[in-house]
mmCIF file of all heavy atoms in Angstrom:
data_model
loop_
_atom_site.group_PDB
_atom_site.id
_atom_site.type_symbol
_atom_site.label_atom_id
_atom_site.label_comp_id
_atom_site.label_asym_id
_atom_site.label_seq_id
_atom_site.Cartn_x
_atom_site.Cartn_y
_atom_site.Cartn_z
ATOM 1 N N LYS T 43 -14.725 19.012 30.918
ATOM 2 C CA LYS T 43 -15.258 19.372 32.203
ATOM 3 C C LYS T 43 -15.273 20.901 32.325
ATOM 4 O O LYS T 43 -14.288 21.506 32.006
ATOM 5 C CB LYS T 43 -14.355 18.731 33.268
ATOM 6 C CG LYS T 43 -14.897 18.941 34.716
ATOM 7 C CD LYS T 43 -13.962 18.143 35.685
ATOM 8 C CE LYS T 43 -14.196 18.622 37.052
ATOM 9 N NZ LYS T 43 -13.113 18.135 37.990
ATOM 10 N N VAL T 44 -16.376 21.449 32.785
ATOM 11 C CA VAL T 44 -16.436 22.918 32.888
ATOM 12 C C VAL T 44 -17.005 23.268 34.266
ATOM 13 O O VAL T 44 -17.965 22.766 34.733
ATOM 14 C CB VAL T 44 -17.471 23.454 31.783
ATOM 15 C CG1 VAL T 44 -17.529 24.940 31.815
ATOM 16 C CG2 VAL T 44 -17.070 22.990 30.378
ATOM 17 N N GLU T 45 -16.281 24.228 34.936
ATOM 18 C CA GLU T 45 -16.675 24.715 36.233
ATOM 19 C C GLU T 45 -17.172 26.200 36.066
ATOM 20 O O GLU T 45 -16.435 27.012 35.539
ATOM 21 C CB GLU T 45 -15.505 24.709 37.203
ATOM 22 C CG GLU T 45 -15.058 23.331 37.550
ATOM 23 C CD GLU T 45 -13.732 23.369 38.353
ATOM 24 O OE1 GLU T 45 -13.413 24.385 38.919
ATOM 25 O OE2 GLU T 45 -13.075 22.302 38.370
ATOM 26 N N PHE T 46 -18.406 26.406 36.546
ATOM 27 C CA PHE T 46 -19.019 27.743 36.430
ATOM 28 C C PHE T 46 -18.915 28.495 37.799
ATOM 29 O O PHE T 46 -19.270 27.860 38.782
ATOM 30 C CB PHE T 46 -20.465 27.702 36.016
ATOM 31 C CG PHE T 46 -20.652 27.220 34.571
ATOM 32 C CD1 PHE T 46 -20.680 25.860 34.271
ATOM 33 C CD2 PHE T 46 -20.819 28.157 33.561
ATOM 34 C CE1 PHE T 46 -20.868 25.448 32.976
ATOM 35 C CE2 PHE T 46 -21.008 27.707 32.265
ATOM 36 C CZ PHE T 46 -21.084 26.362 31.968
ATOM 37 N N HIS T 47 -18.428 29.710 37.763
ATOM 38 C CA HIS T 47 -18.510 30.508 38.998
ATOM 39 C C HIS T 47 -19.959 30.927 39.181
ATOM 40 O O HIS T 47 -20.564 31.391 38.213
ATOM 41 C CB HIS T 47 -17.596 31.695 38.872
ATOM 42 C CG HIS T 47 -17.726 32.684 40.023
ATOM 43 N ND1 HIS T 47 -17.014 32.561 41.167
ATOM 44 C CD2 HIS T 47 -18.569 33.711 40.134
ATOM 45 C CE1 HIS T 47 -17.366 33.537 41.976
ATOM 46 N NE2 HIS T 47 -18.288 34.271 41.415
ATOM 47 N N LEU T 48 -20.476 30.772 40.395
ATOM 48 C CA LEU T 48 -21.899 31.163 40.667
ATOM 49 C C LEU T 48 -21.871 32.457 41.526
ATOM 50 O O LEU T 48 -20.936 32.652 42.288
ATOM 51 C CB LEU T 48 -22.588 30.057 41.338
ATOM 52 C CG LEU T 48 -22.667 28.724 40.579
ATOM 53 C CD1 LEU T 48 -23.336 27.659 41.420
ATOM 54 C CD2 LEU T 48 -23.439 28.881 39.299
ATOM 55 N N GLY T 49 -22.891 33.218 41.488
ATOM 56 C CA GLY T 49 -23.016 34.424 42.304
ATOM 57 C C GLY T 49 -22.620 35.698 41.628
ATOM 58 O O GLY T 49 -22.396 35.710 40.374
ATOM 59 N N SER T 50 -22.422 36.748 42.352
ATOM 60 C CA SER T 50 -22.110 38.007 41.786
ATOM 61 C C SER T 50 -20.575 38.205 41.711
ATOM 62 O O SER T 50 -19.845 37.570 42.396
ATOM 63 C CB SER T 50 -22.710 39.185 42.588
ATOM 64 O OG SER T 50 -22.227 39.104 43.922
ATOM 65 N N ILE T 51 -20.168 39.000 40.711
ATOM 66 C CA ILE T 51 -18.741 39.259 40.455
ATOM 67 C C ILE T 51 -18.588 40.784 40.497
ATOM 68 O O ILE T 51 -19.265 41.523 39.805
ATOM 69 C CB ILE T 51 -18.301 38.693 39.123
ATOM 70 C CG1 ILE T 51 -18.527 37.187 39.111
ATOM 71 C CG2 ILE T 51 -16.873 39.034 38.818
ATOM 72 C CD1 ILE T 51 -18.373 36.594 37.644
ATOM 73 N N ASP T 52 -17.649 41.246 41.228
ATOM 74 C CA ASP T 52 -17.334 42.671 41.352
ATOM 75 C C ASP T 52 -16.191 43.027 40.447
ATOM 76 O O ASP T 52 -15.138 42.462 40.535
ATOM 77 C CB ASP T 52 -16.988 43.018 42.799
ATOM 78 C CG ASP T 52 -16.822 44.551 42.951
ATOM 79 O OD1 ASP T 52 -17.821 45.214 43.178
ATOM 80 O OD2 ASP T 52 -15.685 45.029 42.843
ATOM 81 N N VAL T 53 -16.463 43.883 39.438
ATOM 82 C CA VAL T 53 -15.355 44.337 38.535
ATOM 83 C C VAL T 53 -15.277 45.857 38.668
ATOM 84 O O VAL T 53 -16.208 46.582 38.197
ATOM 85 C CB VAL T 53 -15.694 43.909 37.077
ATOM 86 C CG1 VAL T 53 -14.552 44.313 36.143
ATOM 87 C CG2 VAL T 53 -15.912 42.428 37.019
ATOM 88 N N ASP T 54 -14.189 46.330 39.169
ATOM 89 C CA ASP T 54 -13.932 47.795 39.339
ATOM 90 C C ASP T 54 -15.133 48.523 39.964
ATOM 91 O O ASP T 54 -15.591 49.543 39.524
ATOM 92 C CB ASP T 54 -13.562 48.420 38.011
ATOM 93 C CG ASP T 54 -12.328 47.791 37.412
ATOM 94 O OD1 ASP T 54 -11.472 47.326 38.171
ATOM 95 O OD2 ASP T 54 -12.216 47.716 36.164
ATOM 96 N N GLY T 55 -15.724 47.900 41.001
ATOM 97 C CA GLY T 55 -16.807 48.545 41.725
ATOM 98 C C GLY T 55 -18.160 48.301 41.051
ATOM 99 O O GLY T 55 -19.214 48.664 41.651
ATOM 100 N N LYS T 56 -18.234 47.663 39.899
ATOM 101 C CA LYS T 56 -19.540 47.384 39.262
ATOM 102 C C LYS T 56 -19.904 45.872 39.537
ATOM 103 O O LYS T 56 -19.024 45.050 39.364
ATOM 104 C CB LYS T 56 -19.454 47.684 37.772
ATOM 105 C CG LYS T 56 -20.828 47.660 37.135
ATOM 106 C CD LYS T 56 -20.782 47.986 35.657
ATOM 107 C CE LYS T 56 -22.174 47.729 35.097
ATOM 108 N NZ LYS T 56 -22.217 47.803 33.642
ATOM 109 N N ASP T 57 -21.187 45.725 39.787
ATOM 110 C CA ASP T 57 -21.623 44.328 40.119
ATOM 111 C C ASP T 57 -22.145 43.649 38.890
ATOM 112 O O ASP T 57 -22.973 44.181 38.166
ATOM 113 C CB ASP T 57 -22.780 44.414 41.141
ATOM 114 C CG ASP T 57 -22.361 43.781 42.483
ATOM 115 O OD1 ASP T 57 -21.215 43.443 42.609
ATOM 116 O OD2 ASP T 57 -23.242 43.681 43.367
ATOM 117 N N PHE T 58 -21.617 42.404 38.652
ATOM 118 C CA PHE T 58 -22.109 41.602 37.586
ATOM 119 C C PHE T 58 -22.743 40.307 38.127
ATOM 120 O O PHE T 58 -22.146 39.782 39.131
ATOM 121 C CB PHE T 58 -20.965 41.273 36.570
ATOM 122 C CG PHE T 58 -20.489 42.377 35.745
ATOM 123 C CD1 PHE T 58 -19.570 43.230 36.190
ATOM 124 C CD2 PHE T 58 -21.053 42.638 34.459
ATOM 125 C CE1 PHE T 58 -19.118 44.301 35.448
ATOM 126 C CE2 PHE T 58 -20.651 43.668 33.717
ATOM 127 C CZ PHE T 58 -19.720 44.561 34.159
ATOM 128 N N GLU T 59 -23.777 39.830 37.553
ATOM 129 C CA GLU T 59 -24.321 38.551 37.970
ATOM 130 C C GLU T 59 -23.851 37.425 36.976
ATOM 131 O O GLU T 59 -23.875 37.612 35.784
ATOM 132 C CB GLU T 59 -25.857 38.600 37.869
ATOM 133 C CG GLU T 59 -26.553 39.106 39.168
ATOM 134 C CD GLU T 59 -26.162 38.260 40.369
ATOM 135 O OE1 GLU T 59 -26.249 37.041 40.357
ATOM 136 O OE2 GLU T 59 -25.794 38.937 41.422
ATOM 137 N N SER T 60 -23.477 36.249 37.596
ATOM 138 C CA SER T 60 -23.068 35.133 36.632
ATOM 139 C C SER T 60 -24.317 34.462 36.091
ATOM 140 O O SER T 60 -24.614 33.332 36.560
ATOM 141 C CB SER T 60 -22.202 34.132 37.363
ATOM 142 O OG SER T 60 -21.794 34.506 38.563
ATOM 143 N N VAL T 61 -24.993 35.161 35.258
ATOM 144 C CA VAL T 61 -26.147 34.511 34.572
ATOM 145 C C VAL T 61 -25.959 34.866 33.061
ATOM 146 O O VAL T 61 -25.349 35.823 32.690
ATOM 147 C CB VAL T 61 -27.482 35.156 35.021
ATOM 148 C CG1 VAL T 61 -27.837 34.610 36.448
ATOM 149 C CG2 VAL T 61 -27.516 36.610 35.015
#
Side-chain angles (χ1 to χ4, degrees):
K43 187 174 161 193
V44 182
E45 292 171 19
F46 290 85
H47 172 89
L48 302 175
S50 59
I51 300 169
D52 184 86
V53 182
D54 300 331
K56 188 178 174 191
D57 245 7
F58 287 87
E59 270 305 311
S60 351
V61 288

